[in-house]
Amino acid sequence: MENSRLFDKNQKGLALNSQCNCCPRHCNVSRQNSIGYCKSKGLRIARFGLHMWEEPCISGTRGSGTIFFSGCCLRCIYCQNYEVSQLSKGYDISVNELVNIFKQLEDIGANNINLVTPTHYVDYIIMALDIYKPSIPICYNSSGYESESTIQKLAKYVDIFLVDFKYIQTDLSISFSSSNDYPEVAKSAILAMKKLVPNNIFDSQGIMKKGIIVRHLILPNCLQNSKDILLWIAQNLGVETIVSIMNQYTPYGKAVEHKIIGRKLKPLEYKIIVSYAEKLSLTNAYIQDSDSADECYIPQFFGDNAY
């Protein structure tokens, strides 16, 4: 796929011509002339293709049709995809090229279109989906750091919300993601997502067609944060909620030498949180083996296998 101009003649009326406030950072910048916290201007991706390592009801045996967008409005210090999220490496594409990617992923048999870190490109994505809405579900794969107004925009476009709930403790969100409002923002956003897709719907093969999955990555030395998040989910979303309890934390970037999160998760730490989920009767939970914390599961973003 060739790189394209940042804006083309088919991108009329793009909201980014005005000040951008699509995420909770509220940078209020014109992204044609400058960049905000997400380090993004036009539409930029790092990779697209079939991804086999999402939750089983998302990837199945055919794979999830993932599109990894460049830049990020959260930029966690431990992000394993830091070259994409923090350095904004990738390829500029047009809205029409995004439409063609939807069609390619649909044609090769993807279970869904999986939009990874899409928040700061919502206006572009909506434009593309207005041009062509695939027959397979649209999955919004988000950090949880979302404005309610942005979630409402997605009401007629998104079928599945695959959302992180990273922190319920403000001190952690400040330290690891430079955000003093993540806990409250994420709660509001997840509740808004739940209202849009109140029921989980699966096909005969167990592949999700509609619904919400809440992911939580357990961080070392932060077990109370994890317990409080699971308790909030049980009390506010219901014990039947599909929860993905992730055991894949590996320190990257600035986290490597960090005094709190500079190591992998211990097996006992993970066992404590899984046991707590069982205590809360969160029985629809995905759990991971310890070998999931391996670099082999990180997608190849650049080079011959990038697509």
Side-chain angles (χ1 to χ4, degrees):
M1 183 179 64
E2 295 180 357
N3 290 354
S4 68
R5 291 179 296 169
L6 209 57
F7 296 91
D8 69 20
K9 63 183 179 180
N10 296 309
Q11 295 177 338
K12 296 178 181 178
L14 192 63
L16 299 185
N17 288 333
S18 58
Q19 278 63 42
C20 181
N21 290 293
C22 62
C23 87
R25 298 284 183 188
H26 298 297
C27 297
N28 201 40
V29 299
S30 172
R31 278 170 51 182
Q32 278 187 305
N33 304 313
S34 59
I35 60 174
Y37 192 88
C38 65
K39 296 188 175 182
S40 303
K41 283 190 176 181
L43 184 55
R44 192 171 177 83
I45 67 169
R47 183 187 191 276
F48 71 89
L50 294 177
H51 190 54
M52 306 304 298
W53 303 309
E54 303 287 33
E55 285 73 11
C57 67
I58 300 295
S59 284
T61 57
R62 298 206 309 262
S64 178
T66 50
I67 304 170
F68 289 86
F69 291 94
S70 300
C72 180
C73 61
L74 199 56
R75 288 168 44 197
C76 307
I77 65 170
Y78 50 82
C79 182
Q80 65 181 19
N81 301 335
Y82 67 93
E83 286 187 293
V84 174
S85 63
Q86 313 225 6
L87 304 181
S88 203
K89 290 186 177 181
Y91 309 86
D92 296 324
I93 64 171
S94 70
V95 167
N96 284 335
E97 285 174 318
L98 182 59
V99 169
N100 288 334
I101 290 171
F102 292 164
K103 292 178 180 178
Q104 288 181 55
L105 293 172
E106 187 177 31
D107 288 345
I108 61 176
N111 286 318
N112 43 65
I113 302 296
N114 188 346
L115 308 170
V116 184
T117 320
T119 311
H120 47 301
Y121 296 116
V122 160
D123 290 319
Y124 288 107
I125 290 167
I126 288 175
M127 289 181 69
L129 291 171
D130 278 336
I131 295 170
Y132 179 73
K133 179 72 160 64
S135 61
I136 55 179
I138 302 298
C139 176
Y140 192 80
N141 190 335
S142 161
S143 69
Y145 196 55
E146 302 280 353
S147 298
E148 282 190 68
S149 58
T150 295
I151 300 304
Q152 294 304 325
K153 281 184 181 181
L154 299 169
K156 68 176 183 178
Y157 299 100
V158 170
D159 304 290
I160 299 167
F161 287 100
L162 185 55
V163 57
D164 291 344
F165 193 170
K166 296 176 180 290
Y167 324 105
I168 204 167
Q169 295 180 358
T170 303
D171 60 330
L172 299 185
S173 68
I174 292 172
S175 296
F176 305 149
S177 299
S178 300
S179 169
N180 60 9
D181 60 353
Y182 179 92
E184 296 309 313
V185 165
K187 289 176 189 176
S188 296
I190 292 169
L191 289 172
M193 294 173 187
K194 179 67 173 178
K195 286 183 180 179
L196 293 182
V197 285
N199 301 308
N200 296 325
I201 299 173
F202 303 87
D203 68 11
S204 60
Q205 303 301 312
I207 301 299
M208 181 174 272
K209 295 299 182 182
K210 211 167 188 67
I212 182 171
I213 299 173
V214 183
R215 285 173 161 173
H216 175 62
L217 175 65
I218 305 172
L219 300 174
N221 297 308
C222 299
L223 298 193
Q224 192 59 51
N225 178 65
S226 296
K227 288 183 175 182
D228 290 347
I229 283 175
L230 293 179
L231 179 61
W232 184 89
I233 291 170
Q235 292 178 339
N236 293 273
L237 302 179
V239 295
E240 71 285 353
T241 303
I242 301 176
V243 182
S244 186
I245 305 174
M246 303 174 79
N247 190 23
Q248 64 194 56
Y249 177 77
T250 301
Y252 287 93
K254 296 178 182 178
V256 172
E257 302 296 331
H258 199 282
K259 62 182 180 180
I260 297 175
I261 56 172
R263 62 168 174 82
K264 291 186 178 183
L265 198 67
K266 295 177 180 178
L268 179 59
E269 290 175 309
Y270 189 70
K271 183 178 180 180
I272 287 170
I273 299 306
V274 170
S275 296
Y276 187 69
E278 293 174 348
K279 181 180 178 180
L280 293 174
S281 298
L282 287 166
T283 53
N284 289 331
Y286 287 113
I287 60 175
Q288 293 181 321
D289 294 329
S290 59
D291 63 3
S292 61
D294 193 296
E295 291 186 8
C296 72
Y297 295 108
I298 300 174
Q300 174 69 45
F301 288 111
F302 311 107
D304 294 339
N305 297 319
Y307 299 104

